Amino acid sequence: MSEPAAYPDPVLYVYQAHRRYKEGKEGTLDILRGASLAVWAGQSVALVAPSGTGKSTLLHLAGLLERPDAGEVYVSSRPTVGLADNERTAIRRLEIGFVYQSHHLLPEFTALENVMAPQLIRGLGRAEARERAANLLSYLGIGERLRHRPAELSGGEQQRVAIARAVANAPRILLADEPTGNLDPHTSSHVFDTLTTLAKQTGLAAVVATHNLELAARMDRRVTLREGEVVELP
């Protein structure tokens, strides 16, 4: 694993994770078999692997959406597997942002309101949440679209709103599962550049699952999954 000298402790560390699912009445399907992945602050990592190899499973473990059958997931050096559900939820809400292939924006809310929502849930005042949301959207290049609802935005604009929403509460980790899968090549390139720039400038530890090798090459590191383990790519 490529470890930046300035950051000796990874922000995210999935250690020796095993994950299996039941298959049929008695069988099991092993997806992860001792997978380990460490990501440091300000680092962007592309997770490149064919469908069915466990990319989404690894992201779900990293995002505390699932627990591994064995192994550990450290967030800011804190082990999380043994924590109660409410403690894991608190970590997920405060320290982890998610971006998916489908943006999952609230259709009745404007771009500004979609980015304000997680901040209000966290307990931030409306005025401060509005200012932070507007600044984020402006930084991502859609400051003139604050009052538009998702249906009035292009696919790339919707995904940038989704990115702004994911980082609205200043998480330390950003997990993205095929965030450009539904976008044209030009828009995909722009969204990827947004993600990598955001990681570097804000100190995010970003993991992005993608099939696009050209876009993955722009990130700091590239990894894949082979026989249930994480393997570094050149």
Side-chain angles (χ1 to χ4, degrees), residues 23-37:
E23 189 176 46
K25 292 184 177 180
E26 299 180 0
T28 59
L29 181 63
D30 290 317
I31 300 297
L32 299 180
R33 305 172 184 174
S36 294
L37 174 65

Side-chain angles (χ1 to χ4, degrees), residues 28 33 43 45 52 63 79 83 89 92 98 104 112 117-119 131 137 161 182 203 211 223 227 231:
T28 59
R33 305 172 184 174
Q43 190 176 68
V45 178
L83 296 177
T89 298
R92 195 164 57 241
F98 298 90
H104 298 303
L112 185 70
Q119 300 178 73
E131 181 180 2
L137 291 167
V161 174
N182 292 330
H211 285 99
V223 301
E227 297 183 353
V231 178

Side-chain angles (χ1 to χ4, degrees), residues 184-205:
D184 63 82
H186 176 75
T187 306
S188 295
S189 177
H190 188 79
V191 169
F192 247 77
D193 286 344
T194 297
L195 283 169
T196 53
T197 301
L198 196 63
K200 282 184 171 58
Q201 294 190 355
T202 64
L204 275 170

